[in-house]
């Protein structure tokens, strides 16, 4: 600005001109003092324009300004500079503005591209969220997981900006419809599940009632088999609600435990009794096997008869031991019978006491049968009947032989 005559002049009548490449242009009039002061005045106005250009350039280069807004400012300054009442390097300042305009247009284009890309990304994200929501609504049966995911989708949706209003509205309608569809389908599912659970509860209540009715039964084998069947039916039945399932299961299990505990106690007592009977029968059997049959067949028969009486008065023994004990006792009985038959054959019929003894045995067998019948013990009755039939047969044979 020190060489002010390079860009302007003031003529004799005070008219102020600015010099440009296209020629001189009148920018004002100066009557207030020397021409150089007039030029300085209009030069200061030019400096103001330069300051505006500097600010636009600085904001554009820093990225703080919107390139589109900067471009509008540049174009405005370009237009104003063509008629501005200033003195200065207008051509140079126009050249700066042209360069700034090109830079602003480039940056504005980049900004538009970035906005377009951001809009496309936002649209893609929201479209993806809508499609995911629609798939969840149509297919998912993981109700809690899907419900939580729909909430997450809504939260994410709210963070996405940049989609145009019309498109955003259309996508929102799809998302809202998907969410409503999922809610209805989930509600229908749980309504059906509640109905199934009520039905299952009714079925299991029937199982519980039957199990409780069997808890006091003493018909051990059939009841145990039926309780096992009830357990199988319980496992095959659908589950009731958590609270009802637990309550019914506790009742069902308590009924089973009550029955099997009583059965175990009875069986334990029976086993203990049978083990005691086994020990006593083993002792009697040892006595029977120790009898000296050959020395005195009649005394041997009397002793065996005493042992047999005690044997039959004892109760049952464990099943696995019963057969062996009976076989050993029959062996002793056979041994005594053979000895008595041999002794009878060696004795005259008139002097043979065998018939008297055998008749006594038949009488004793009849008394034993009567006692068994009075006691109502089926096993003792059966054994007494067999023993009586055997003794009667021997007596008949002996009487015929005599």
């Amino acid at each position: 600005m020190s060489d002010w005559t390079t860009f302007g002049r003031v003529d004799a009548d005070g008219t102020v001109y600015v010099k440009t490449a296209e020629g001189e242009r009148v920018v004002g009039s100066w009557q207030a003092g020397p021409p150089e002061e007039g030029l300085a005045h209009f030069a200061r106005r030019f400096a103001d324009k330069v300051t505006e250009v500097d600010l636009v350039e600085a904001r554009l280069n820093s990225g703080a300004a919107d390139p589109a807004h900067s471009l509008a400012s540049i174009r405005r300054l370009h237009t104003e500079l063509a008629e501005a009442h200033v003195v200065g390097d207008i051509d140079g300042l126009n050249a700066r503005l042209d360069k700034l305009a090109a830079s602003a247009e480039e940056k504005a284009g980049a900004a538009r591209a970035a906005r377009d890309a951001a809009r496309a990304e936002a649209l893609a994200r929201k479209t993806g969220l809508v499609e995911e929501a629609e798939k969840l609504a149509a297919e998912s049966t993981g109700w809690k997981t899907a419900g939580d995911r729909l909430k997450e989708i809504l939260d994410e949706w709210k963070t996405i900006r940049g989609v145009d209003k019309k498109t955003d509205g259309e996508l929102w309608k799809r998302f809202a419809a998907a969410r409503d569809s999922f809610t209805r389908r989930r509600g229908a599912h749980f309504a059906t599940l509640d109905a199934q659970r009520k039905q299952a509860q009714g079925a299991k209540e029937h199982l519980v009632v039957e199990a409780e009715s069997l808890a006091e039964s003493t018909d051990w084998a059939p009841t145990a088999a039926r309780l096992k069947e009830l357990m199988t039916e319980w496992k095959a039945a659908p589950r009731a609600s958590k609270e009802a399932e637990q309550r019914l299961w506790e009742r069902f299990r308590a009924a089973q435990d009550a029955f099997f505990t009583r059965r175990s106690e009875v069986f334990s007592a029976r086993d203990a009794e049978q083990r005691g009977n086994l020990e006593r029968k083993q002792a009697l059997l040892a006595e029977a096997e120790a009898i000296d049959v050959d020395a005195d067949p009649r005394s041997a028969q009397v002793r065996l008869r005493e042992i047999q009486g005690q044997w039959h008065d004892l109760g049952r023994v464990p099943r696995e031991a019963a057969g062996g004990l009976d076989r050993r006792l029959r062996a002793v009985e056979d041994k005594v019978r053979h000895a008595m038959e041999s002794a009878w054959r060696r004795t005259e019929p008139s002097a043979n006491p065998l018939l008297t003894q055998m008749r006594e045995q038949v009488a004793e067998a009849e008394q034993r049968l009567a006692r068994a019948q009075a006691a109502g013990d089926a096993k003792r009755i059966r054994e007494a009947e067999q023993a009586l039939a055997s003794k009667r047969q021997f007596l008949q044979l002996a009487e015929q032989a005599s």
Side-chain angles (χ1 to χ4, degrees), residues 245-364:
E245 184 79 13
Q246 182 63 28
R247 174 173 51 81
L248 290 171
W249 169 251
E250 289 174 357
R251 287 176 57 191
F252 183 73
R253 193 64 184 171
Q256 284 200 324
D257 289 346
F259 171 79
F260 285 111
T261 297
R262 286 193 313 105
R263 187 184 70 163
S264 177
E265 292 172 353
V266 170
F267 282 12
S268 295
R270 185 191 65 184
D271 291 345
E273 180 183 356
Q274 289 184 354
R275 286 193 297 272
N277 293 340
L278 174 62
E279 293 175 359
R280 288 188 286 275
K281 283 194 174 183
Q282 286 174 335
L284 288 175
L285 189 58
E287 291 183 32
E289 291 174 337
I291 295 174
D292 188 354
V293 177
D294 297 329
D296 187 352
R298 178 170 176 74
S299 296
Q301 186 182 50
V302 171
R303 179 58 187 144
L304 177 59
R305 192 159 55 243
E306 294 173 354
I307 291 175
Q308 287 173 326
Q310 297 177 47
W311 181 281
H312 291 299
D313 288 338
L314 291 176
R316 295 181 178 180
V317 299
R319 181 179 302 176
E320 63 275 11
L325 292 176
D326 289 340
R327 284 192 298 272
R328 289 171 62 187
L329 182 62
R330 284 197 297 271
V332 175
E333 292 172 346
D334 290 343
K335 184 178 179 180
V336 171
R337 184 177 67 254
H338 292 321
M340 289 297 296
E341 289 175 352
S342 298
W344 174 74
R345 284 193 294 269
R346 292 193 299 269
T347 307
E348 289 294 329
S350 58
N352 192 347
L354 181 59
L355 290 176
T356 301
Q357 179 182 342
M358 295 181 72
R359 291 189 183 99
E360 291 174 356
Q361 291 178 355
V362 169
E364 290 177 0

Side-chain angles (χ1 to χ4, degrees), residues 122-123 125-131 133-134 150-161 163-181:
L123 176 60
R125 287 179 63 192
K126 283 199 169 182
T127 301
L129 292 176
V130 167
E131 290 174 349
E134 289 174 338
L150 286 173
K151 292 178 182 178
E152 293 172 359
I153 288 175
L154 178 59
D155 292 339
E156 185 177 351
W157 182 284
K158 294 176 181 179
T159 66
I160 300 173
R161 301 287 186 272
V163 180
D164 65 274
K165 187 175 181 180
K166 179 181 178 182
T167 304
D168 192 72
E170 293 172 351
L171 289 173
W172 173 255
K173 287 180 182 178
R174 287 175 60 188
F175 172 70
R179 188 172 56 171
D180 291 344
S181 174

Side-chain angles (χ1 to χ4, degrees), residues 46-211:
F46 179 77
D48 291 339
K49 293 294 182 184
V50 172
T51 299
E52 284 191 65
V53 174
D54 289 342
L55 287 173
V56 171
E57 183 178 23
R59 288 175 60 80
L60 181 63
N61 291 337
S62 69
D66 183 346
H69 291 167
S70 296
L71 183 59
S73 297
I74 292 168
R75 288 172 178 170
R76 175 182 58 77
L77 287 170
H78 225 314
T79 301
E80 291 175 354
L81 198 57
E83 299 179 355
H85 296 171
V86 297
V87 172
D89 186 5
I90 290 178
D91 293 332
L93 192 55
N94 276 327
R96 279 186 67 191
L97 288 171
D98 289 340
K99 290 182 180 179
L100 286 176
S103 176
E105 287 178 352
E106 181 181 353
K107 291 185 177 183
R112 282 193 300 273
R115 285 195 297 273
D116 290 344
R119 279 194 293 270
E121 181 185 0
L123 176 60
R125 287 179 63 192
K126 283 199 169 182
T127 301
L129 292 176
V130 167
E131 290 174 349
E132 182 183 355
E134 289 174 338
K135 185 174 182 180
L136 289 174
E139 301 176 6
S140 179
T141 55
W143 306 110
K144 185 179 186 309
T145 302
D148 291 343
R149 179 54 187 154
L150 286 173
K151 292 178 182 178
E152 293 172 359
I153 288 175
L154 178 59
D155 292 339
E156 185 177 351
W157 182 284
K158 294 176 181 179
T159 66
I160 300 173
R161 301 287 186 272
V163 180
D164 65 274
K165 187 175 181 180
K166 179 181 178 182
T167 304
D168 192 72
E170 293 172 351
L171 289 173
W172 173 255
K173 287 180 182 178
R174 287 175 60 188
F175 172 70
R179 188 172 56 171
D180 291 344
S181 174
F182 172 79
T183 301
R184 287 193 299 272
R185 198 161 62 85
R186 180 177 59 183
H189 167 77
F190 282 108
T192 301
L193 188 61
D194 287 343
Q196 291 174 346
R197 285 175 174 170
K198 288 180 181 177
Q199 184 178 4
Q201 180 176 340
K204 288 191 171 179
E205 283 175 348
H206 286 304
L207 295 178
V208 168
V209 169
E210 183 175 355

